[in-house]
Amino acid sequence: GESVGLHLPTLSVQEGDNSIINCAYSNSASDYFIWYKQESGKGPQFIIDIRSNMDKRQGQRVTVLLNKTVKHLSLQIAATQPGDSAVYFCAGPNYGGSQGNLIFGKGTKLSVKP
Amino acid sequence: SAVISQKPSRDICQRGTSLTIQCQVDSQVTMMFWYRQQPGQSLTLIATANQGSEATYESGFVIDKFPISRPNLTFSTLTVSNMSPEDSSIYLCSGGQLNTEAFFGQGTRLTVV
């Protein structure tokens, strides 16, 4: 089965610095990964996704890197802002394929210091 | 992207009672799911809501405790039956198309006393 986990439960960064949140997965057949941001009292919000035929994907201030060799992905946030403070989850397909339902990592709480 | 609305947003219920949570999507989606998120923890999939047929439950979740309906492609309900304090949690509905990201409602915060 798939498992998705995060290396660090908390991350504290200075405003303006870059943030890197890491995630590992176990099923090499997984072909799709998503990063979600969850603010307090809200549901998870889609940030960015990446498919296994890519190593890197960029969005607005965010970049996701996928290393299939070591089954690791990361979310990089450039110039972190106080509004980025939230819990970040990586998620992947539950059964090793893109069947629609997701398994979530444990989450990393990002705190941005002004 | 789909906009997902859940209600109620929160409730406090007596043990032994049942609560039905509604999930409405603003467009037709292929997939709808129900998750549980206990305080300070990650999301755990309860079941896949199948349109016009019985839901598909994950290990540890059963239909008698969490009956689910999905009468059409935009609406689903989750009932938490015979509640106990251990059922206190956030319940989240999500929806999306196959092989794309899933979108989430804001969640229903349930407290059982």
Coordinates of all heavy atoms in Angstrom, one line a residue, chain A residues 4-64:
Chain A
V4 N 2.5 8.0 2.8 CA 3.1 9.3 2.6 C 3.4 9.9 3.9 O 2.5 10.0 4.7 CB 2.1 10.2 1.7 CG1 2.8 11.5 1.4 CG2 1.7 9.4 0.5
G5 N 4.6 10.3 4.1 CA 4.9 10.9 5.4 C 5.8 12.1 5.2 O 6.5 12.3 4.2
L6 N 5.9 12.9 6.3 CA 6.7 14.1 6.3 C 7.8 13.9 7.3 O 7.8 13.2 8.3 CB 5.8 15.3 6.7 CG 4.8 15.7 5.6 CD1 3.6 16.2 6.2 CD2 5.5 16.7 4.7
H7 N 9.0 14.6 7.0 CA 10.1 14.5 7.8 C 10.0 15.3 9.1 O 10.5 14.8 10.1 CB 11.4 14.9 7.0 CG 11.7 14.0 5.8 ND1 11.9 12.7 6.0 CD2 11.8 14.3 4.5 CE1 12.1 12.1 4.8 NE2 12.1 13.1 3.9
L8 N 9.5 16.5 9.0 CA 9.5 17.4 10.2 C 8.0 17.8 10.5 O 7.3 18.2 9.6 CB 10.3 18.6 9.9 CG 11.8 18.4 9.7 CD1 12.5 19.7 9.2 CD2 12.5 17.9 11.0
P9 N 7.6 17.7 11.7 CA 6.3 18.2 12.1 C 6.1 19.7 12.1 O 5.1 20.2 11.9 CB 6.1 17.6 13.4 CG 7.4 17.4 14.0 CD 8.3 17.1 12.9
T10 N 7.2 20.4 12.4 CA 7.1 21.9 12.5 C 8.3 22.5 11.8 O 9.4 21.9 11.7 CB 7.1 22.4 14.0 OG1 8.3 21.9 14.6 CG2 5.9 21.8 14.7
L11 N 8.0 23.7 11.3 CA 9.1 24.5 10.6 C 8.8 25.9 10.9 O 7.7 26.5 10.7 CB 9.0 24.2 9.1 CG 10.0 25.0 8.2 CD1 11.4 24.6 8.6 CD2 9.7 24.8 6.7
S12 N 9.8 26.6 11.4 CA 9.7 28.0 11.7 C 10.7 28.8 10.8 O 11.9 28.4 10.8 CB 10.0 28.3 13.2 OG 9.9 29.6 13.5
V13 N 10.3 29.8 10.1 CA 11.1 30.6 9.2 C 10.9 32.0 9.4 O 9.8 32.5 9.9 CB 10.9 30.2 7.7 CG1 11.2 28.7 7.5 CG2 9.5 30.6 7.3
Q14 N 11.9 32.8 9.0 CA 11.8 34.2 9.1 C 11.1 34.7 7.9 O 11.3 34.2 6.8 CB 13.2 34.8 9.2 CG 13.3 36.2 9.8 CD 13.0 36.2 11.3 OE1 13.4 35.3 12.0 NE2 12.4 37.3 11.7
E15 N 10.3 35.7 8.0 CA 9.6 36.4 6.9 C 10.6 36.8 5.8 O 11.6 37.4 6.2 CB 8.8 37.6 7.3 CG 8.0 38.2 6.2 CD 7.2 39.4 6.7 OE1 7.2 39.7 7.9 OE2 6.5 40.1 5.9
G16 N 10.3 36.4 4.6 CA 11.2 36.7 3.5 C 12.2 35.6 3.1 O 12.7 35.6 2.0
D17 N 12.4 34.7 4.1 CA 13.3 33.5 3.8 C 12.5 32.5 2.9 O 11.3 32.6 2.8 CB 13.7 32.9 5.1 CG 14.8 33.7 5.8 OD1 15.2 34.7 5.2 OD2 15.1 33.4 6.9
N18 N 13.2 31.6 2.4 CA 12.6 30.5 1.6 C 12.3 29.3 2.6 O 13.0 29.1 3.5 CB 13.5 30.0 0.5 CG 13.8 31.1 -0.5 OD1 12.9 32.0 -0.7 ND2 14.9 31.0 -1.2
S19 N 11.2 28.6 2.3 CA 10.8 27.5 3.1 C 10.9 26.2 2.3 O 10.6 26.3 1.1 CB 9.4 27.7 3.6 OG 9.2 28.8 4.4
I20 N 11.3 25.2 2.9 CA 11.3 23.9 2.2 C 10.6 22.8 3.1 O 11.1 22.6 4.2 CB 12.8 23.4 1.9 CG1 13.4 24.4 1.0 CG2 12.7 22.0 1.2 CD1 14.9 24.1 0.7
I21 N 9.6 22.2 2.6 CA 8.9 21.2 3.3 C 9.1 19.9 2.5 O 8.9 19.8 1.3 CB 7.4 21.6 3.4 CG1 7.2 22.9 4.2 CG2 6.6 20.5 4.1 CD1 5.8 23.4 4.1
N22 N 9.4 18.8 3.2 CA 9.8 17.6 2.6 C 8.7 16.5 2.8 O 8.0 16.6 3.8 CB 11.1 17.1 3.1 CG 12.2 18.0 2.8 OD1 12.5 18.3 1.6 ND2 12.9 18.5 3.8
C23 N 8.7 15.5 2.0 CA 7.7 14.5 2.0 C 8.3 13.2 1.4 O 9.0 13.3 0.4 CB 6.4 14.9 1.3 SG 5.1 13.8 1.5
A24 N 8.1 12.0 2.0 CA 8.5 10.8 1.4 C 7.3 9.9 1.1 O 6.3 10.0 1.8 CB 9.5 10.1 2.4
Y25 N 7.5 9.1 0.1 CA 6.4 8.1 -0.2 C 7.0 6.7 -0.4 O 8.2 6.6 -0.6 CB 5.6 8.6 -1.4 CG 6.4 8.7 -2.7 CD1 6.4 7.6 -3.6 CD2 7.1 9.8 -3.0 CE1 7.1 7.7 -4.8 CE2 7.8 9.9 -4.2 CZ 7.8 8.9 -5.1 OH 8.5 8.9 -6.3
S26 N 6.1 5.7 -0.3 CA 6.6 4.4 -0.3 C 6.3 3.6 -1.6 O 7.1 2.7 -2.0 CB 6.1 3.6 0.9 OG 4.7 3.5 0.8
N27 N 5.3 4.0 -2.3 CA 4.9 3.2 -3.5 C 5.4 3.8 -4.7 O 5.0 4.9 -5.2 CB 3.3 3.1 -3.5 CG 2.9 2.1 -4.5 OD1 3.5 1.8 -5.5 ND2 1.7 1.5 -4.3
S28 N 6.4 3.1 -5.3 CA 7.0 3.6 -6.5 C 6.1 3.7 -7.7 O 6.4 4.3 -8.7 CB 8.2 2.7 -6.9 OG 7.8 1.4 -7.1
A29 N 4.9 3.1 -7.6 CA 3.9 3.1 -8.7 C 3.1 4.4 -8.7 O 2.3 4.7 -9.6 CB 3.0 1.9 -8.7
S30 N 3.2 5.2 -7.6 CA 2.4 6.4 -7.4 C 2.8 7.4 -8.5 O 4.0 7.6 -8.8 CB 2.7 7.0 -6.1 OG 2.3 6.1 -5.1
D31 N 1.8 7.9 -9.2 CA 2.1 8.7 -10.4 C 1.6 10.2 -10.3 O 1.7 10.9 -11.2 CB 1.6 8.1 -11.6 CG 0.0 7.9 -11.6 OD1 -0.5 8.2 -10.5 OD2 -0.5 7.5 -12.6
Y32 N 1.2 10.6 -9.1 CA 0.6 11.9 -9.0 C 0.7 12.3 -7.5 O 0.3 11.5 -6.6 CB -0.9 11.8 -9.4 CG -1.7 13.1 -9.4 CD1 -1.2 14.2 -10.1 CD2 -2.8 13.2 -8.7 CE1 -2.0 15.3 -10.1 CE2 -3.6 14.3 -8.7 CZ -3.1 15.4 -9.4 OH -3.8 16.6 -9.4
F33 N 1.1 13.5 -7.3 CA 1.2 14.0 -5.9 C 0.7 15.4 -5.9 O 0.8 16.2 -6.8 CB 2.7 14.0 -5.5 CG 3.3 12.6 -5.5 CD1 4.0 12.2 -6.6 CD2 3.2 11.8 -4.4 CE1 4.5 10.9 -6.7 CE2 3.7 10.5 -4.5 CZ 4.4 10.1 -5.6
I34 N 0.2 15.8 -4.7 CA -0.4 17.1 -4.5 C 0.0 17.7 -3.2 O 0.2 16.9 -2.2 CB -2.0 17.0 -4.4 CG1 -2.5 16.2 -5.6 CG2 -2.6 18.4 -4.4 CD1 -4.0 15.9 -5.5
W35 N 0.2 18.9 -3.2 CA 0.5 19.7 -1.9 C -0.8 20.5 -1.6 O -1.3 21.2 -2.5 CB 1.7 20.6 -2.1 CG 3.0 19.9 -2.0 CD1 3.8 19.5 -3.0 CD2 3.6 19.5 -0.8 NE1 4.9 18.8 -2.5 CE2 4.8 18.8 -1.1 CE3 3.3 19.6 0.6 CZ2 5.7 18.3 -0.2 CZ3 4.2 19.1 1.5 CH2 5.4 18.5 1.1
Y36 N -1.2 20.4 -0.3 CA -2.3 21.2 0.2 C -1.8 22.1 1.3 O -0.9 21.7 2.1 CB -3.4 20.3 0.7 CG -4.2 19.6 -0.3 CD1 -3.9 18.3 -0.7 CD2 -5.3 20.2 -0.9 CE1 -4.6 17.6 -1.7 CE2 -6.1 19.5 -1.8 CZ -5.7 18.2 -2.2 OH -6.5 17.6 -3.2
K37 N -2.5 23.2 1.5 CA -2.3 24.1 2.6 C -3.6 24.2 3.4 O -4.7 24.3 2.8 CB -2.0 25.5 2.0 CG -1.9 26.6 3.1 CD -1.7 28.0 2.4 CE -1.7 29.1 3.4 NZ -1.6 30.4 2.7
Q38 N -3.5 24.0 4.7 CA -4.6 24.1 5.5 C -4.4 25.1 6.6 O -3.6 24.9 7.5 CB -5.0 22.7 6.2 CG -6.3 22.7 6.9 CD -6.7 21.3 7.5 OE1 -5.8 20.5 7.8 NE2 -8.0 21.1 7.6
E39 N -5.2 26.2 6.6 CA -5.2 27.2 7.6 C -6.2 26.8 8.7 O -7.1 26.0 8.5 CB -5.6 28.5 7.0 CG -4.6 29.0 5.9 CD -5.0 30.3 5.2 OE1 -5.9 30.1 4.3 OE2 -4.5 31.3 5.5
S40 N -6.0 27.4 9.8 CA -6.7 27.0 11.0 C -8.2 27.2 10.7 O -8.6 28.3 10.3 CB -6.3 27.8 12.2 OG -7.0 27.5 13.3
G41 N -9.0 26.2 11.0 CA -10.5 26.3 10.9 C -11.0 26.1 9.4 O -12.2 26.3 9.2
K42 N -10.1 25.8 8.5 CA -10.5 25.7 7.1 C -10.2 24.3 6.6 O -9.4 23.5 7.1 CB -9.8 26.7 6.3 CG -10.2 28.2 6.7 CD -9.5 29.2 5.7 CE -9.9 30.6 6.1 NZ -9.2 31.6 5.2
G43 N -10.7 24.0 5.4 CA -10.4 22.8 4.7 C -9.1 22.9 4.0 O -8.6 24.0 3.7
P44 N -8.5 21.8 3.6 CA -7.3 21.9 2.8 C -7.5 22.6 1.5 O -8.5 22.4 0.8 CB -6.9 20.4 2.6 CG -7.6 19.7 3.7 CD -8.9 20.4 3.9
Q45 N -6.5 23.4 1.1 CA -6.6 24.2 -0.1 C -5.5 23.7 -1.1 O -4.3 23.6 -0.7 CB -6.4 25.6 0.2 CG -6.4 26.6 -1.0 CD -6.0 28.0 -0.6 OE1 -5.7 28.3 0.5 NE2 -6.1 28.9 -1.6
F46 N -5.8 23.3 -2.3 CA -4.9 22.9 -3.3 C -3.8 24.0 -3.6 O -4.2 25.1 -3.7 CB -5.6 22.6 -4.6 CG -4.7 22.3 -5.8 CD1 -4.2 21.1 -6.0 CD2 -4.5 23.3 -6.7 CE1 -3.4 20.8 -7.0 CE2 -3.6 23.1 -7.8 CZ -3.1 21.8 -8.0
I47 N -2.6 23.6 -3.6 CA -1.5 24.5 -3.9 C -0.9 24.2 -5.3 O -0.9 25.0 -6.2 CB -0.3 24.4 -2.9 CG1 -0.8 24.7 -1.5 CG2 0.8 25.4 -3.3 CD1 0.3 24.5 -0.4
I48 N -0.4 23.0 -5.4 CA 0.3 22.6 -6.6 C 0.3 21.1 -6.7 O 0.3 20.4 -5.7 CB 1.7 23.2 -6.7 CG1 2.3 23.1 -8.1 CG2 2.6 22.6 -5.6 CD1 3.6 23.9 -8.3
D49 N 0.4 20.6 -7.9 CA 0.5 19.1 -8.1 C 1.7 18.8 -9.0 O 2.2 19.7 -9.7 CB -0.8 18.5 -8.5 CG -1.2 19.0 -9.9 OD1 -0.6 19.9 -10.5 OD2 -2.3 18.6 -10.3
I50 N 2.0 17.5 -9.1 CA 3.1 17.1 -10.0 C 2.8 15.7 -10.4 O 2.4 14.9 -9.5 CB 4.5 17.3 -9.4 CG1 5.6 17.1 -10.4 CG2 4.7 16.4 -8.2 CD1 7.0 17.5 -10.0
R51 N 3.1 15.3 -11.6 CA 2.9 14.0 -12.1 C 4.3 13.3 -12.2 O 5.3 14.0 -12.3 CB 2.2 13.9 -13.4 CG 0.8 14.5 -13.3 CD -0.2 14.1 -14.4 NE -1.5 14.7 -14.1 CZ -2.4 14.1 -13.4 NH1 -2.2 12.9 -12.9 NH2 -3.6 14.6 -13.3
S52 N 4.3 12.0 -12.2 CA 5.6 11.3 -12.1 C 6.5 11.5 -13.3 O 7.7 11.1 -13.3 CB 5.4 9.8 -11.8 OG 4.6 9.2 -12.8
N53 N 5.9 12.0 -14.4 CA 6.8 12.2 -15.6 C 7.5 13.5 -15.5 O 8.2 13.9 -16.5 CB 5.9 12.1 -16.9 CG 4.9 13.1 -16.9 OD1 4.6 13.8 -16.0 ND2 4.2 13.2 -18.1
M54 N 7.4 14.2 -14.4 CA 8.1 15.5 -14.2 C 9.0 15.4 -13.0 O 8.7 14.7 -12.1 CB 7.0 16.6 -14.0 CG 6.0 16.7 -15.1 SD 4.7 17.8 -14.7 CE 5.6 19.4 -14.8
D55 N 10.1 16.2 -13.0 CA 10.9 16.3 -11.8 C 10.7 17.6 -11.1 O 11.0 17.7 -9.9 CB 12.4 16.3 -12.3 CG 12.8 15.0 -12.9 OD1 12.3 14.0 -12.5 OD2 13.5 15.1 -13.9
K56 N 10.1 18.6 -11.7 CA 9.9 19.9 -11.1 C 8.7 20.6 -11.7 O 8.4 20.4 -12.9 CB 11.2 20.7 -11.4 CG 11.2 22.1 -10.9 CD 12.5 22.8 -11.2 CE 12.6 24.3 -10.8 NZ 13.9 24.9 -11.1
R57 N 8.0 21.3 -10.9 CA 6.9 22.1 -11.4 C 6.9 23.4 -10.6 O 7.0 23.4 -9.3 CB 5.6 21.4 -11.3 CG 4.5 22.1 -12.0 CD 3.3 21.3 -12.2 NE 2.3 21.9 -13.1 CZ 1.0 21.8 -13.0 NH1 0.5 21.0 -12.1 NH2 0.2 22.4 -13.8
Q58 N 6.7 24.5 -11.3 CA 6.7 25.8 -10.6 C 5.3 26.4 -10.6 O 4.6 26.4 -11.7 CB 7.7 26.7 -11.2 CG 9.1 26.3 -10.8 CD 10.2 27.3 -11.3 OE1 10.4 27.4 -12.5 NE2 10.8 28.0 -10.4
G59 N 5.0 27.1 -9.5 CA 3.8 27.9 -9.5 C 4.2 29.3 -9.1 O 5.3 29.7 -9.1
Q60 N 3.2 30.0 -8.5 CA 3.5 31.4 -8.1 C 4.1 31.3 -6.7 O 3.5 30.9 -5.7 CB 2.2 32.2 -8.0 CG 2.4 33.6 -7.6 CD 1.1 34.4 -7.6 OE1 0.0 33.8 -7.6 NE2 1.2 35.7 -7.6
R61 N 5.4 31.5 -6.6 CA 6.2 31.5 -5.4 C 6.4 30.1 -4.8 O 7.0 29.9 -3.8 CB 5.6 32.4 -4.2 CG 5.9 33.8 -4.3 CD 5.7 34.5 -3.0 NE 4.5 34.3 -2.3 CZ 4.3 33.7 -1.2 NH1 5.4 33.2 -0.5 NH2 3.1 33.5 -0.6
V62 N 5.8 29.1 -5.5 CA 6.0 27.7 -5.0 C 6.6 26.9 -6.1 O 6.3 27.1 -7.3 CB 4.7 27.1 -4.5 CG1 4.2 27.8 -3.3 CG2 3.7 27.1 -5.6
T63 N 7.4 25.9 -5.7 CA 8.0 24.9 -6.6 C 8.0 23.6 -5.9 O 8.2 23.4 -4.7 CB 9.5 25.3 -6.8 OG1 9.6 26.6 -7.4 CG2 10.1 24.2 -7.8
V64 N 7.6 22.6 -6.7 CA 7.6 21.2 -6.1 C 8.6 20.4 -6.9 O 8.7 20.5 -8.1 CB 6.2 20.5 -6.2 CG1 5.6 20.5 -7.6 CG2 6.2 19.1 -5.7

